[in-house]
Amino acid sequence: MLLLRDDDHERMEKENLCLILVNLRRGCRRRATPNGIQYRYSNDWSEADDMLVVEFLAEVVSCRIDVDCYTTSEADNQGLIPYGNYTDPLSMFFRINFPNRQHARALSSSTDVRGGRQSPCYVTIKVPSSHLFRRPTFLITHSGNSGDWRQHTAQQAMAWEGEVYLSASMPYCPRYILAVASDLWPGIAPAIQQNNAFEHVLSKTEDVFYIPGLHKKIVLMFPEESVSVNTVIQILLEPGDKFPILHVLARGDVSGPITVQYIGKKVLNQPPAGDEHQKPEIKILTKQGDLDWKEGVAGKRMSDKDLSVQIDCLPKGVKTSIAPYESNYALSFRGRNRRLDHEKETLLGIYQKRIRSKYWRMIGRSLGFTQDVLSEIERRKPRSLEEKACIVLGRWLKRNTEKSLFQIRDTWM
């Protein structure tokens, strides 16, 4: 029979008490509102100093929600920071936890944004006024799926003692969220903004818009009733290696799907399969604000010579970018190397989306890469999330010639 000493009992009681206090601190206070159900998170329950408020604007399952709160440096060490070099954090980094999958599905079920209906969730974060930099403010969210970061223009509301509340409506309840300040045109030189930008007014009826000066080579196609009233969109062309990068910023919400089509560019055609003299692949990437580039969803085409991408919507005040670029990364897997044959198959599977991998920054931090190294990879020409994951793993293989990806499987799968 196991006998416990008095100090063992005391230690266990302290541990249990600490566990109860931690869970209590993580829990959100819940209350009904005229619009739905509201969850309030504070790291000090006695003060009820709400740092994060999530309000569901529809009938949803009422349950317990816990919140984990990290500093941005802690989130960065875990590879969770999603933005680039032109954004500054304003708040802590929050992770919202649901008690089980059923409640998670109920609380994160999204209303179709493209249908123009009301979003089911409203999020508010408190930030000190001293952290504001006279720049536009946004809420950045992640649904929990790899590469699914989104940026939402935040509304500001002042309160007592210099406190500022940033809020935005969401099409889903986020898994991760933080408040940031960023430029409207992050990373684009002022001279390019002044010389290459122009405006266009969208009407309620279906609108087809050819980019001026390109002899009808790039066209934007908007569906009918994509705007409730005439909405101004700003368009900026940034010079690229072979194709210009297209940036679009709307002064009001524009619903989609919106098609961006590059017309009659034979160089955009994919080379035939098995061609030993294969040309570099052509990909079209998209991004929001200062977030990561990701491979776009193919849109409808007028002919086989065209290449197009589909954009879900243009959120008010959030820059959307489209970039065609040549990628010869798949060609680097050619050649025979006995040690690397299996590794090339794994990397090619990630590159072609046959093998799911973690977020590329998370992989890099897990493998010990510094923030400077990851920033250097990010600053290179636009690359998809999968390609950057392969670059990180490839660099690790070069540094660890006696090891294999299988040995570090937990870091990237």
Side-chain angles (χ1 to χ4, degrees):
M1 181 176 179
L2 180 63
L3 298 177
L4 297 177
R5 299 191 305 270
D6 289 341
D7 55 346
D8 291 328
H9 283 290
E10 184 177 352
R11 178 178 55 81
M12 292 176 63
E13 288 179 357
K14 288 182 178 179
E15 289 177 353
N16 290 333
L17 178 59
C18 288
L19 184 61
I20 292 173
L21 291 175
V22 168
N23 288 329
L24 180 64
R25 183 175 179 177
R26 295 174 64 232
C28 292
R29 300 186 306 279
R30 182 178 66 238
R31 73 178 186 184
T33 68
N35 297 322
I37 299 177
Q38 194 175 83
Y39 291 84
R40 293 175 170 265
Y41 168 75
S42 172
N43 59 3
D44 189 341
W45 273 56
S46 61
E47 292 293 331
D49 185 19
D50 298 320
M51 302 172 63
L52 173 69
V53 179
V54 181
E55 183 173 5
F56 296 97
L57 307 178
E59 295 182 3
V60 295
V61 177
S62 178
C63 65
R64 176 184 172 87
I65 292 181
D66 294 331
V67 173
D68 291 317
C69 189
Y70 307 94
T71 64
T72 50
S73 60
E74 290 171 337
D76 180 45
N77 287 336
Q78 296 185 42
L80 292 173
I81 293 299
Y83 49 78
N85 302 309
Y86 306 96
T87 293
D88 296 301
L90 299 177
S91 72
M92 303 286 279
F93 187 92
F94 301 100
R95 182 175 68 184
I96 300 175
N97 307 293
F98 307 113
N100 57 51
R101 291 184 179 180
Q102 179 181 359
H103 288 154
R105 284 194 297 268
L107 295 175
S108 62
S109 59
S110 60
T111 305
D112 187 0
V113 183
R114 286 173 288 182
R117 291 176 284 175
Q118 188 181 39
S119 299
C121 182
Y122 202 74
V123 179
T124 301
I125 295 179
K126 187 184 76 171
V127 300
S129 59
S130 59
H131 288 188
L132 298 180
F133 307 116
R134 298 181 181 275
R135 300 163 71 191
T137 53
F138 304 91
L139 299 186
I140 294 179
T141 65
H142 192 298
S143 67
N145 299 320
S146 178
D148 195 25
W149 291 102
R150 296 190 184 185
Q151 185 169 324
H152 313 264
T153 300
Q155 301 173 355
Q156 296 188 18
M158 296 294 297
W160 54 91
E161 299 181 356
E163 295 177 344
V164 179
Y165 291 88
L166 304 180
S167 59
S169 59
M170 310 278 173
Y172 56 84
C173 181
R175 172 70 166 167
Y176 302 101
I177 185 168
L178 76 159
V180 300
S182 183
D183 299 328
L184 281 181
W185 304 96
I188 302 175
I192 295 178
Q193 295 183 38
Q194 295 171 4
N195 300 329
N196 296 50
F198 47 90
E199 294 184 348
H200 176 70
V201 180
L202 291 177
S203 62
K204 291 181 64 175
T205 57
E206 185 174 0
D207 206 334
V208 176
F209 176 61
Y210 291 91
I211 303 298
L214 293 178
H215 305 289
K216 295 188 177 182
K217 293 299 183 183
I218 304 179
V219 60
L220 278 69
M221 293 176 283
F222 300 88
E224 291 187 37
E225 305 297 331
S226 59
V227 292
S228 56
V229 294
N230 289 346
T231 298
V232 176
I233 59 171
Q234 294 176 279
I235 298 174
L236 187 149
L237 286 173
E238 180 184 5
D241 291 339
K242 286 200 172 184
F243 313 106
I245 301 175
L246 177 66
H247 306 283
V248 184
L249 180 70
R251 295 182 185 173
D253 290 326
V254 181
S255 59
I258 301 156
T259 300
V260 180
Q261 186 160 285
Y262 295 79
I263 301 174
K265 291 186 177 291
K266 295 182 180 180
V267 69
L268 292 177
N269 290 342
Q270 298 295 324
D275 185 0
E276 292 301 322
H277 303 287
Q278 184 181 19
K279 296 180 181 179
E281 293 178 272
I282 300 295
K283 293 181 178 290
I284 296 187
L285 305 183
T286 65
K287 71 180 295 186
Q288 282 191 341
D290 197 25
L291 302 182
D292 267 310
W293 290 98
K294 57 185 179 181
E295 193 167 345
V297 178
K300 61 182 180 180
R301 298 184 298 172
M302 294 180 182
S303 73
D304 293 338
K305 295 181 180 180
D306 304 334
L307 195 66
S308 68
V309 66
Q310 179 178 297
I311 308 297
D312 284 340
C313 62
L314 296 179
K316 178 182 178 181
V318 178
K319 175 180 69 69
T320 298
S321 304
I322 302 98
Y325 84 104
E326 287 186 345
S327 173
N328 59 0
Y329 193 77
L331 302 183
S332 66
F333 296 112
R334 291 180 178 274
R336 303 294 297 174
N337 184 312
R338 182 174 298 179
R339 191 188 76 82
L340 291 180
D341 275 349
H342 178 68
E343 311 298 343
K344 288 181 178 180
E345 285 300 315
T346 301
L347 292 175
L348 191 58
I350 295 173
Y351 176 75
Q352 296 178 343
K353 299 184 181 181
R354 291 187 282 107
I355 301 176
R356 291 193 62 180
S357 66
K358 292 179 182 177
Y359 189 52
W360 75 277
R361 295 176 195 268
M362 190 179 299
I363 298 171
R365 298 300 281 181
S366 298
L367 296 177
F369 287 95
T370 65
Q371 183 60 40
D372 290 340
V373 171
L374 298 180
S375 295
E376 182 266 326
I377 293 174
E378 179 197 358
R379 280 192 294 266
R380 298 180 68 178
K381 69 178 183 179
R383 297 185 186 274
S384 66
L385 295 168
E386 293 77 19
E387 188 163 349
K388 283 186 278 192
C390 289
I391 290 173
V392 169
L393 292 172
R395 289 194 179 187
W396 182 88
L397 285 171
K398 289 182 179 179
R399 295 193 319 188
N400 299 270
T401 56
E402 302 302 320
K403 296 183 180 180
S404 70
L405 294 180
F406 182 80
Q407 293 176 269
I408 57 166
R409 191 173 180 177
D410 290 343
T411 67
W412 57 271
M413 283 199 74

